[in-house]
Amino acid sequence: MSAFPPPDMSDPWIRRFRPRPEAVVRLVCFPHAGGSASYYHPLAQSPTLPTDSEVLAVQYPGRQDRRRERLLDDIGELADLITDALGPFDDRPLAFFGHSMGAVLAYEVAQRLRERTGKQPCRLFVSGRRAPSRFRRGTVHLLDDTELAAELRRAGGTDPRFLDDEELLAEIIPVVRNDYRAVELYRWNPSPPLSCPITALVGDRDPQAPLDEVEAWQQHTEGPFDLKVFAGGHFYLNTHQQGVTEVISKALADSAQQRATARGNAR
């Protein structure tokens, strides 16, 4: 029998695709703008992930099974609500992985977790996103529907079949516009650096995340920092799923070793 009682899974914010009640670490995944929890289903099923880890995926309101709920276009409000939803899951270490807008949310939730509980993620993975301290004015949310659909094609993160279907596209556009508004209106509130390790991942041809601005994530932690560069654009991880999973797996194993060492030194 597990030493940990299973958390309440009725909260609409969290998806648990492959429950592992005896996992010693939970990897919380934050989707990109316009994305949903199901984007991380392949990661949750990957045999490469350590067997003592469990993937939890955040489901933002206004999409998929939450499509009737009000969209939220404020990063701070989203981060507050996600932090609340993670409360039942902090009975063991949490690691965060966020891509693009999800990286911003992962960082903001990490900050709130520290403020509320004194805890931090055992590791923060930030993908396809410049550091919060590197501001760049964004105007994608101001594009008309046709221009926004063209931007989605260029970014490459949306199944082209959805973009070619007028009815599906009509459902997607408001969600994408909302999320772009949220992340483009986001402004970093200068905060002390985290102490957890940060691993940044990026495509070498990502116009939204130049390498020098991604490297600036190092300034947001007092802990170790490393940068992993893959061939590709903003959605490099779609074609490098195995490589990304290997990076995550090694980093989680390193964090587990560090915790074990710290426990040993404390005795």
Side-chain angles (χ1 to χ4, degrees):
M1 181 177 294
S2 171
F4 301 105
D8 179 10
M9 299 309 300
S10 62
D11 193 300
W13 288 89
I14 305 299
R15 296 292 176 273
R16 197 182 187 192
F17 297 121
R18 190 178 185 181
R20 285 177 168 167
E22 298 187 12
V24 298
V25 62
R26 292 183 171 123
L27 177 65
V28 183
C29 297
F30 298 74
H32 53 277
S36 59
S38 60
Y39 185 75
Y40 292 107
H41 185 271
L43 176 62
Q45 301 296 328
S46 173
T48 305
L49 274 183
T51 56
D52 61 357
S53 64
E54 179 182 38
V55 171
L56 305 179
V58 177
Q59 183 77 305
Y60 310 139
R63 64 213 71 203
Q64 291 187 333
D65 56 326
R66 303 189 69 186
R67 64 186 178 277
R68 298 188 185 280
E69 297 182 42
R70 178 176 65 91
L71 291 164
L72 300 178
D73 62 0
D74 181 87
I75 292 293
E77 183 179 2
L78 277 166
D80 286 338
L81 292 168
I82 294 168
T83 305
D84 291 342
L86 289 177
F89 297 92
D90 71 354
D91 57 343
R92 64 202 78 179
L94 299 175
F96 291 172
F97 182 100
H99 179 66
S100 197
M101 183 183 83
V104 176
L105 276 167
Y107 167 78
E108 287 293 332
V109 172
Q111 290 284 4
R112 283 159 173 75
L113 192 66
R114 174 173 64 177
E115 293 166 4
R116 295 185 189 183
T117 69
K119 300 178 182 179
Q120 296 185 41
C122 61
R123 186 171 292 265
L124 174 61
F125 298 92
V126 289
S127 169
R129 180 68 189 184
R130 61 187 177 275
S133 53
R134 295 298 184 266
F135 172 72
R136 185 191 300 182
R137 184 170 180 267
T139 58
V140 173
H141 72 281
L142 299 175
L143 299 176
D144 64 31
D145 290 358
T146 301
E147 293 169 330
L148 186 51
E151 176 63 27
L152 291 178
R153 290 185 187 276
R154 283 192 293 271
T158 306
D159 189 325
R161 292 172 298 179
F162 295 166
L163 300 177
D164 293 334
D165 186 307
E166 291 187 4
E167 291 186 5
L168 289 176
L169 183 60
E171 294 182 8
I172 293 170
I173 287 295
V175 176
V176 173
R177 188 185 305 284
N178 172 87
D179 291 357
Y180 267 99
R181 183 186 303 113
V183 74
E184 290 182 342
L185 297 182
Y186 165 79
R187 299 292 181 270
W188 177 57
N189 181 23
S191 305
L194 299 166
S195 59
C196 64
I198 292 180
T199 297
L201 304 90
V202 68
D204 60 1
R205 299 187 303 278
D206 186 348
Q208 299 185 35
L211 287 182
D212 61 325
E213 295 184 359
V214 175
E215 289 174 338
W217 276 102
Q218 186 169 8
Q219 301 168 17
H220 293 274
T221 182
E222 295 175 339
F225 171 82
D226 60 336
L227 174 66
K228 305 295 183 184
V229 181
F230 293 84
H234 190 57
F235 281 94
Y236 72 91
L237 63 178
N238 288 354
T239 53
H240 293 283
Q241 290 185 10
Q242 180 65 24
V244 170
T245 305
E246 289 174 356
V247 168
I248 294 171
S249 299
K250 183 180 185 306
L252 290 180
D254 290 346
S255 293
Q257 181 59 48
Q258 292 164 9
R259 291 195 302 275
T261 301
R263 287 195 298 268
N265 293 337
R267 291 172 182 169

